[in-house]
Amino acid sequence: MRVTSLHRYPVKSLQGESLEAAAIERTGLAGDRRWLVVDAAGRFVTRRERPQMAGITALPAGDGLVLRHAGRELHVACPGPDAAAVEATVWRDHVPARLASQEAADWLSEALGAKMHLVHMADPDVRRVDAAYGAPDDRVSFADGFPVLLTSQGSLAALNALLPEPMVMRRFRPNIVVEGADAWVEDEWRRLRIGMMTFRVVKPCSRCVIVTQDPDSGDAGQGNEPLATLRRMGRMAKGGIMFGQNLIPDEVGEIRIGDVVEPLETGPSNLVRPVA
């Protein structure tokens, strides 16, 4: 098994970029989901509520970002220590952040048709991983809950074999994609070595309406796919319909496309299988 692609998303729910190599920090891939779009109340905004976010690209640019949408481009500087401190809400977490420029807020508000702000997680040590799954010193960015999301080409092939139309892996917004594994064997992994790094496999990833949207436009698909087919396949566990596995890195380091993926510990499937 090997890593076949790597991906990071500088702003949660916006388009990201593919990488040849990725530095891994405690919070996941360096630069992954350290920025967040929030509403006027400071609550996180994603493609669940604003599917058109799929049409905005965010890429690192020096000490900041470049945002692109519909032929428009904006360079956003990383807010410094003098920027306004705010509290961003991500699910049940209240996360200290710093407010980006008013220009960025106006640009996003125009693109999304509602009043928005852009914030940055200045201190990567502020948000803990859910204590039910992580150690006390495990940390996460503005991702939904865990530092790294891994998916398998073998599992996507098994899903696509049952779909009316095949889907690309980009629908699932992974960080690490592996090839050479049997379909769904990742449910049995507990610890992995990827290249020279090790990761804990802590929880299957619960999927939402975002995977039913076109990854470039945000347009809704037909028939609630792939969620409907994943449900019929028994891809269920406490928390919803699952595809992919959430990882927590054991250390900092680097991984690259082509790195060997080796299970170090395995166990029973972490999905609840339906009774035959």
Side-chain angles (χ1 to χ4, degrees):
M1 294 185 292
R2 293 187 180 274
V3 174
T4 188
S5 63
L6 296 166
H7 311 271
R8 69 175 171 186
Y9 313 90
V11 181
K12 184 179 178 69
S13 247
L14 301 190
Q15 291 273 5
E17 62 179 341
S18 298
L19 303 170
E20 291 294 318
I24 304 296
E25 301 174 344
R26 295 171 69 205
T27 55
L29 275 67
D32 186 62
R33 297 176 176 94
R34 289 284 296 275
W35 299 76
L36 181 70
V37 179
V38 299
D39 62 18
R43 180 164 181 80
F44 76 129
V45 178
T46 73
R47 283 171 48 191
R48 299 173 182 91
E49 307 84 26
R50 300 279 171 178
Q52 64 268 41
M53 293 175 79
I56 304 175
T57 298
L59 298 174
D63 187 23
L65 292 172
V66 58
L67 301 176
R68 297 189 179 114
H69 175 254
R72 300 165 59 230
E73 182 174 291
L74 178 70
H75 289 260
V76 183
C78 188
D82 295 333
V86 297
E87 188 175 77
T89 303
V90 181
W91 300 116
R92 294 174 295 177
D93 294 339
H94 302 285
V95 186
R98 293 197 178 275
L99 196 65
S101 67
Q102 185 61 46
E103 185 181 17
D106 293 343
W107 194 95
L108 284 167
S109 299
E110 182 178 346
L112 298 175
K115 187 175 179 60
M116 300 291 172
H117 295 282
L118 182 65
V119 300
H120 180 253
M121 181 185 283
D123 181 358
D125 201 43
V126 296
R127 187 176 177 217
R128 286 187 56 183
V129 169
D130 186 336
Y133 298 97
D137 60 347
D138 289 331
R139 296 293 184 268
V140 62
S141 64
F142 286 128
D144 273 354
F146 298 93
V148 177
L149 174 61
L150 177 146
T151 59
S152 162
Q153 293 282 12
S155 297
L156 180 63
L159 170 62
N160 278 337
L162 299 178
L163 288 174
E165 295 183 7
M167 294 185 172
V168 295
M169 190 67 87
R170 290 177 55 233
R171 288 245 180 182
F172 299 95
R173 294 175 65 84
N175 295 120
I176 303 172
V177 183
V178 302
E179 63 180 359
D182 293 339
W184 316 122
V185 71
E186 65 269 25
D187 300 345
E188 301 171 2
W189 296 342
R190 296 297 178 267
R191 288 186 69 242
L192 289 178
R193 179 180 289 118
I194 302 177
M196 299 300 293
M197 294 197 61
T198 60
F199 298 80
R200 283 163 281 150
V201 184
V202 293
K203 183 182 180 296
C205 183
S206 178
R207 310 316 304 221
C208 68
V209 68
I210 289 175
V211 301
T212 71
Q213 301 167 354
D214 182 277
D216 294 310
S217 67
D219 293 342
Q222 299 295 316
N224 199 35
E225 295 292 5
L227 294 177
T229 295
L230 287 167
R231 181 184 291 274
R232 288 195 299 272
M233 295 174 77
R235 299 295 307 163
M236 305 291 295
K238 183 179 180 181
I241 300 171
M242 306 297 180
F243 186 93
Q245 293 287 338
N246 289 298
L247 312 184
I248 298 175
D250 285 329
E251 65 264 320
V252 299
E254 182 182 82
I255 59 176
R256 306 183 65 86
I257 290 177
D259 277 352
V260 172
V261 179
E262 178 187 2
L264 300 177
E265 295 179 14
T266 60
S269 170
N270 55 14
L271 290 188
V272 177
R273 301 286 186 181
V275 176

